[in-house]
Amino acid sequence: MSCIFCKIVSKEIPTKIIYENETVLAFNDINPMAPEHILVIPKRHIESIDDLSSNDKDITSSMFEAAREIANVRNLSEYGYRVIINNGKAAGQEVFHLHLHILGGKEKLGPMLAK
Ligand code: AMP
Ligand code: ZN
């Protein structure tokens, strides 16, 4: 298995886990783009939104549940935070294992897209 996020799930790559339940895992992004930059991934390898099925509602709801819980515990809700999914090559997806980016901090984040 060459997927870097699957290696994080299997603990082949050690990472400080921020949040975990039976369905999802969250950890700090290695190259943070904001004071807080956390990734939430499903434990199962799913490449992108396009590969989700209607049977995967537990995964999508767990990903948002994790985002809400992390934002609450790390006080991101106080200032606001952004949740991003880069889906596919044109969107800039580099790791083809579905993930939410959670970006937050006290400073206002930059524009949603660079012009
Ligand atoms: P994306 O461009 O949406 O696919 O984002 C992939 C993200 O994964 C980037 O923000 C990378 O910095 C991050 N990343 C890649 N490898 C690791 C790793 N080993 N641990 C934590 N984050 C990683
Ligand atoms: Zn994977």
Side-chain angles (χ1 to χ4, degrees), residues 38-41 63-64 67 83-85 98-102:
I38 296 147
L39 301 176
V40 180
I41 68 169
M63 289 176 77
F64 278 95
V83 176
I84 296 173
I85 296 177
L98 180 65
H99 51 283
L100 292 183
H101 295 256
I102 304 171

Side-chain angles (χ1 to χ4, degrees), residues 2-107:
S2 63
C3 171
I4 196 155
F5 287 176
C6 282
K7 287 184 176 162
I8 288 174
V9 172
S10 68
K11 314 271 196 294
E12 255 179 272
I13 297 177
T15 312
K16 188 172 174 289
I17 291 164
I18 287 175
Y19 177 98
E20 182 171 18
N21 67 23
E22 63 180 14
T23 313
V24 302
L25 194 66
F27 50 90
N28 283 318
D29 195 292
I30 204 167
N31 182 26
M33 305 291 280
E36 295 265 17
H37 186 171
I38 296 147
L39 301 176
V40 180
I41 68 169
K43 287 186 172 174
R44 200 177 97 213
H45 182 84
I46 298 170
E47 284 199 9
S48 74
I49 294 173
D50 307 315
D51 300 297
L52 287 166
S53 82
S54 55
N55 295 324
D56 293 326
K57 292 190 176 78
D58 59 329
I59 290 177
T60 48
S61 70
S62 279
M63 289 176 77
F64 278 95
E65 175 66 17
R68 189 192 58 73
E69 182 71 19
I70 291 163
N72 182 35
V73 168
R74 297 173 88 91
N75 261 350
L76 303 181
S77 309
E78 191 180 343
Y79 299 102
Y81 57 96
R82 189 172 288 159
V83 176
I84 296 173
I85 296 177
N86 295 319
N87 197 72
K89 283 201 176 77
Q93 185 173 3
E94 288 175 358
V95 177
F96 284 81
H97 180 131
L98 180 65
H99 51 283
L100 292 183
H101 295 256
I102 304 171
L103 298 139
K106 292 183 185 172
E107 302 295 319

